[in-house]
Amino acid sequence: MYKVLVVDDERQIRLGLKAKLNWNEHGFELCGEAADGKEALELIAMLRPDVIITDIRMPIMDGISLLQNCSTAHPDIQFIVLSGYEEFSYVKAAMQHGASDYLLKPVVRKELASRLNTIKSVLDARQKERDEEKQLKRQLDINHQRLREQFLLQTARAGAEGEECSKEAARLGLGEIFKSNTFIQFVTLEIKDTRSGASGSTPDSLLLLAVYFMSHELLQLWGEEAHVFRDSATPQLLHLVLKCETFGEEMLERWLKTEFRPQLERMLKVRVQMGIGMVVSGQTDWRKGYLSSRLQWMQQPVTGLHPARSEPENNELKAESFELLPVSEKQLTLAITEGDLQTFRSTLRTLLEPTLTLTLQALSVRVLRLVLFLDGMASKHGLKLEETQHMISGLPESLWQCQTPDKAEALFVHIAQKLIWHMEQGQQSSGHEVVGQVVAYLQEHYAEEDISLSRMASRFHLHVSYLSELFKKITAKNYSEYLTEIRMTKAKELLGDPQLRVSDVSELVGFSNPNYFSQVFKKTTGLSPIDYRQKNDMSKPKIL
């Protein structure tokens, strides 16, 4: 129902208007009445009507003054003005000040209903537009959150560095937590359903979604930046990344154990098994922090597979032994990239043989690191390997299929063979096909404001870092530079149309802020958009 306020200095006219119609049948309700414009303004602030039916000539404040006041303070209100035949000049002034329509006194029921139906159509269309805008904003927020989660997961699992990735992090609202000097910690959460009859089972998707949103809410209580993200390979797990600059590691651990987890468990009737990773800083160490949280989660006693390891002598294992040395990682990467299975096997043996003298748990930790390394490499090339995805989703139980170095070696050689084959198939096009598709998309959709590198990576199922490297290799330009070049070329064409303002051109080439567009244009061409337009006008031959 839309609300109507009646304003007239004659009480009988107000009563007559109220009795003219069954207002509810027409989609309206009478919310109040006023004797003059000043009284109406006071009621407008309280009642927020959608429609005002007002007389023009009234004492204290007339209808024209009321319209003038509302034109800036309440521009969405629809006005119907009441007038006599001798006051038609006033009606003209009222229409000039924004009145939607007018009615001659005495008011005829049929004409009043007709005016209200017309206004209702306008209000319905406006409400539909608002609803669509809200829905669009809601969808954009969801897409933005998905992109941010995907970026967090990719960076945590496969690592990411470089200017493009830093820009993408900033665009996704991760600029602070992504800085090289920012201290952060990862936390892995496993959720068990403890509701009546659930007996600590894996929760259903609805409960997992509730835990996800509740985690979002609770993280707002931590005094620093914090995010939650998911991995479709392990739906029963949630991952947190929290900044711990101000309050420190000990305070964060205390808050997680005494406030975050108890509230989550109490409110949703779940049991939370938690692994808190080591403190790291800089994007290159994100993977180490993420892996350490997965390791700590694996060492918790809840699973019943192995005892908790909290003695001081195990600190070195927790912090360092799961991480591959850069030289080993480089050797494995090079071997797979070049299709050299023999070198891969020999490098793998040097990584697995030392575990012969260590515990079964130490071997499991090294296997976990290799699984995530290979899965990350596959992801970086836009691939999903069933073997690594299965092992990740089945953690920690899935690691027990590698109870000896020989079994682990056989598994990883098989995975490497499969990865090499997929990469060779993909390399037949040398990446030109993918980059060609990205360029074609940019040529068609350059006017969209949200056309970021991560969005393209998501669209073409590639890792952000890999697409960035591939794009630059083939085009000899960064992604952002290439997109800017397309937009500036189109902007030059549009500036040739004198009917378009600079702000129009800005919007048509994907810039919501005209000032920023002008800065980029001047940086690219050496001229402001206005100067560029004037120069090109002057260069045209004059017709005598």
Side-chain angles (χ1 to χ4, degrees), residues 203-210:
D204 56 41
S205 58
L206 191 61
L207 180 56
L208 284 170
L209 192 62

mmCIF file of all heavy atoms in Angstrom, residues 203-210:
data_model
loop_
_atom_site.group_PDB
_atom_site.id
_atom_site.type_symbol
_atom_site.label_atom_id
_atom_site.label_comp_id
_atom_site.label_asym_id
_atom_site.label_seq_id
_atom_site.Cartn_x
_atom_site.Cartn_y
_atom_site.Cartn_z
ATOM 1 N N PRO A 203 28.171 -32.252 9.015
ATOM 2 C CA PRO A 203 26.901 -31.518 8.918
ATOM 3 C C PRO A 203 26.398 -31.430 7.484
ATOM 4 O O PRO A 203 27.164 -31.549 6.526
ATOM 5 C CB PRO A 203 27.260 -30.129 9.461
ATOM 6 C CG PRO A 203 28.728 -30.005 9.247
ATOM 7 C CD PRO A 203 29.279 -31.393 9.411
ATOM 8 N N ASP A 204 25.071 -31.203 7.349
ATOM 9 C CA ASP A 204 24.514 -31.024 6.013
ATOM 10 C C ASP A 204 24.874 -29.635 5.495
ATOM 11 O O ASP A 204 25.391 -28.787 6.220
ATOM 12 C CB ASP A 204 22.994 -31.238 6.022
ATOM 13 C CG ASP A 204 22.285 -30.320 7.024
ATOM 14 O OD1 ASP A 204 22.663 -29.138 7.121
ATOM 15 O OD2 ASP A 204 21.367 -30.787 7.705
ATOM 16 N N SER A 205 24.577 -29.419 4.203
ATOM 17 C CA SER A 205 24.996 -28.169 3.550
ATOM 18 C C SER A 205 24.342 -26.945 4.179
ATOM 19 O O SER A 205 24.947 -25.872 4.245
ATOM 20 C CB SER A 205 24.655 -28.228 2.060
ATOM 21 O OG SER A 205 23.270 -28.445 1.863
ATOM 22 N N LEU A 206 23.106 -27.083 4.672
ATOM 23 C CA LEU A 206 22.415 -25.950 5.290
ATOM 24 C C LEU A 206 23.101 -25.526 6.582
ATOM 25 O O LEU A 206 23.299 -24.330 6.843
ATOM 26 C CB LEU A 206 20.954 -26.320 5.558
ATOM 27 C CG LEU A 206 20.036 -25.164 5.959
ATOM 28 C CD1 LEU A 206 19.978 -24.121 4.847
ATOM 29 C CD2 LEU A 206 18.635 -25.681 6.270
ATOM 30 N N LEU A 207 23.489 -26.505 7.400
ATOM 31 C CA LEU A 207 24.184 -26.182 8.649
ATOM 32 C C LEU A 207 25.563 -25.602 8.357
ATOM 33 O O LEU A 207 26.010 -24.659 9.019
ATOM 34 C CB LEU A 207 24.303 -27.437 9.513
ATOM 35 C CG LEU A 207 25.009 -27.250 10.872
ATOM 36 C CD1 LEU A 207 24.323 -26.167 11.702
ATOM 37 C CD2 LEU A 207 25.055 -28.561 11.646
ATOM 38 N N LEU A 208 26.255 -26.142 7.357
ATOM 39 C CA LEU A 208 27.570 -25.600 6.986
ATOM 40 C C LEU A 208 27.457 -24.146 6.543
ATOM 41 O O LEU A 208 28.313 -23.312 6.867
ATOM 42 C CB LEU A 208 28.182 -26.437 5.859
ATOM 43 C CG LEU A 208 28.769 -27.796 6.266
ATOM 44 C CD1 LEU A 208 29.111 -28.608 5.024
ATOM 45 C CD2 LEU A 208 30.010 -27.622 7.136
ATOM 46 N N LEU A 209 26.369 -23.837 5.822
ATOM 47 C CA LEU A 209 26.158 -22.461 5.385
ATOM 48 C C LEU A 209 25.898 -21.552 6.587
ATOM 49 O O LEU A 209 26.394 -20.419 6.639
ATOM 50 C CB LEU A 209 24.974 -22.406 4.416
ATOM 51 C CG LEU A 209 24.791 -21.101 3.629
ATOM 52 C CD1 LEU A 209 26.002 -20.834 2.737
ATOM 53 C CD2 LEU A 209 23.516 -21.155 2.790
ATOM 54 N N ALA A 210 25.150 -22.063 7.558
ATOM 55 C CA ALA A 210 24.892 -21.293 8.775
ATOM 56 C C ALA A 210 26.194 -21.024 9.539
ATOM 57 O O ALA A 210 26.420 -19.917 10.043
ATOM 58 C CB ALA A 210 23.901 -22.033 9.668
#
